[in-house]
Amino acid sequence: MEQLSAGKKLDRAFEKLGKKNTLSFELDVDTDVASLKALDAKSRPAPGDEIPDDAAKLISGARITVTVQSKKPIDESDEKDLVGMAMKVSSPDGDLAEYRVIGDTAYIRADMDTIGKLSGSPVPAAADLPPEAGAIKNVLEGKWVKFDTKEMQKATADGKGPKDGPAPGPSLDAKTQKKLVNALRDVVARHVHLKTAGGGNGTEHVLATAPFRTLVTELFGKIRPLVKDLPPGMELPTAKDLKDAPAAKVTADFTLKNGELTEVDVDLAKLAENAKVKKLGLTLRLGRGTRPTVPAGATKLDLKALMQGFVGGGPGMSDAEFAESGLSGQDLPQDAS
């Protein structure tokens, strides 16, 4: 039987992922409320700015699931090849937000009441909104709404200037993606120590260990020349920003089942340094996610009316009516990005 190095095993596992037409994963935050409180205390927040118990509970139990479907294998796909995407953010008490894209239609729902409470900016009740709000009431009630992604791009451009204004910024193209992957592989090859660990029944582990500060400094150093090719608004930390990053070593445990990557566990507790952290990590499980199917009963958002009339304070609602509605001075929910 061919004996493979730890690095080669990982390479082959990632190659297998790239050959699939559907990629699903689940990301869990592996921590607890006490650890988050300890980290928060170490940052010395101003009185009253401490992390709320509800927010700490949410973060400690947060889970994100993502599925991407393409006509082609993932490593050969471009944006035009994607036929479906689904993402869901969940808490211990239920789903917080869900977003799906199928073709040119996007579907979204969210527990706005919980999100508003956690952010410290409660949203208005749906009953308080004027008739012009339309399907935005359904958003506040946690119901599914839908919109055309092309219309959203056009409405966003029209909202910022004339109709012939600049188009939305470009997404990350395949060429730039490959440059980023090559940069990551180069840094890993020079700074990450790999070794295999025991397993059974076709399961084995590859442990990757590296000093955190060195790893992130080198990685961002490799990415910085590519900034011009990244989508607008993406700002990278400078070397000065990273000089105070923890120098402790971080270990990632890659679980392989019959040569396929099934799980990645990253222990970040050492990065807490002198904070009393019991556990702090991330777990990525492959093969789990929400299928990008069309949800039943989704209400269509009238984007033009929403941006020009309701949100923009257009003719559908006078200043006096706006003041009397009870919305004046409140933070309204922002468009999903």
Side-chain angles (χ1 to χ4, degrees):
M1 182 180 293
E2 181 183 6
Q3 296 296 315
L4 298 177
S5 67
K8 190 63 177 178
K9 289 177 180 178
L10 270 187
D11 276 344
R12 290 195 174 184
F14 280 110
E15 286 173 3
K16 286 185 177 182
L17 284 179
K19 300 302 179 185
K20 297 178 181 292
N21 288 57
T22 300
L23 178 63
S24 296
F25 63 85
E26 175 185 275
L27 179 65
D28 277 343
V29 180
D30 184 20
T31 187
D32 54 31
V33 172
S35 295
L36 291 174
K37 288 277 191 177
L39 285 172
D40 184 56
K42 183 188 173 186
S43 68
R44 297 180 180 178
D49 289 340
E50 298 87 352
I51 185 172
D53 290 344
D54 287 344
K57 179 183 176 183
L58 169 64
I59 296 172
S60 65
R63 182 174 67 255
I64 301 173
T65 57
V66 177
T67 297
V68 177
Q69 289 184 338
S70 175
K71 302 175 190 174
K72 299 179 181 179
I74 296 297
D75 62 0
E76 299 175 13
S77 298
D78 204 343
E79 189 175 353
K80 66 180 184 299
D81 300 312
L82 300 181
V83 294
M85 188 278 285
M87 181 178 73
K88 181 166 64 175
V89 181
S90 304
S91 75
D93 298 325
D95 298 337
L96 282 177
E98 191 166 0
Y99 180 70
R100 304 179 191 178
V101 179
I102 300 169
D104 292 328
T105 304
Y107 304 83
I108 189 169
R109 66 173 176 176
D111 183 347
M112 296 301 298
D113 185 53
T114 299
I115 293 173
K117 290 177 181 178
L118 291 171
S119 66
S121 301
V123 298
D128 294 335
L129 299 188
E132 291 82 2
I136 198 68
K137 291 186 176 183
N138 288 355
V139 174
L140 297 183
E141 293 173 347
K143 297 178 181 178
W144 281 106
V145 295
K146 63 182 179 180
F147 58 87
D148 187 290
T149 54
K150 292 182 178 179
E151 287 183 11
M152 172 62 85
Q153 291 177 351
K154 183 178 185 300
T156 302
D158 289 348
K160 292 180 179 178
K163 293 184 178 181
D164 58 351
S171 59
L172 201 60
D173 59 58
K175 185 177 180 181
T176 302
Q177 290 181 45
K178 290 179 180 179
K179 288 181 180 179
L180 291 173
V181 170
N182 289 335
L184 176 59
R185 285 183 171 177
D186 180 62
V187 172
V188 168
R190 290 190 294 113
H191 297 288
V192 178
H193 174 68
L194 299 172
K195 70 174 183 178
T196 55
N201 298 322
T203 299
E204 59 185 330
H205 297 267
V206 175
L207 303 179
T209 304
F212 182 75
R213 184 192 302 160
T214 301
L215 191 64
V216 295
T217 300
E218 287 287 323
L219 181 58
F220 282 117
K222 287 282 186 180
I223 296 176
R224 204 162 283 114
L226 304 177
V227 167
K228 65 182 184 301
D229 298 319
L230 300 179
M234 292 188 66
E235 296 184 6
L236 301 180
T238 65
K240 184 179 179 181
D241 294 330
L242 297 171
K243 69 181 181 65
D244 293 326
K249 291 185 177 181
V250 174
T251 297
D253 181 353
F254 296 84
T255 301
L256 308 181
K257 178 72 172 180
N258 297 323
E260 293 196 6
L261 182 62
T262 60
E263 187 170 314
V264 183
D265 293 287
V266 184
D267 185 1
L268 302 172
K270 291 183 179 179
L271 299 184
E273 297 178 317
N274 61 344
K276 295 180 180 179
V277 170
K278 185 177 181 180
K279 63 176 181 176
L280 179 65
L282 295 172
T283 298
L284 180 71
R285 299 182 183 92
L286 280 299
R288 301 187 186 185
T290 301
R291 291 182 58 206
T293 55
V294 176
T299 305
K300 185 176 181 180
L301 280 175
D302 187 336
L303 298 175
K304 186 174 182 180
L306 180 65
M307 299 185 73
Q308 296 181 356
F310 175 61
V311 173
M317 195 177 188
S318 69
D319 291 341
E321 291 171 332
F322 181 77
E324 292 174 0
S325 71
L327 297 178
S328 178
Q330 297 191 44
D331 292 326
L332 297 178
Q334 301 297 307
D335 291 339
S337 58

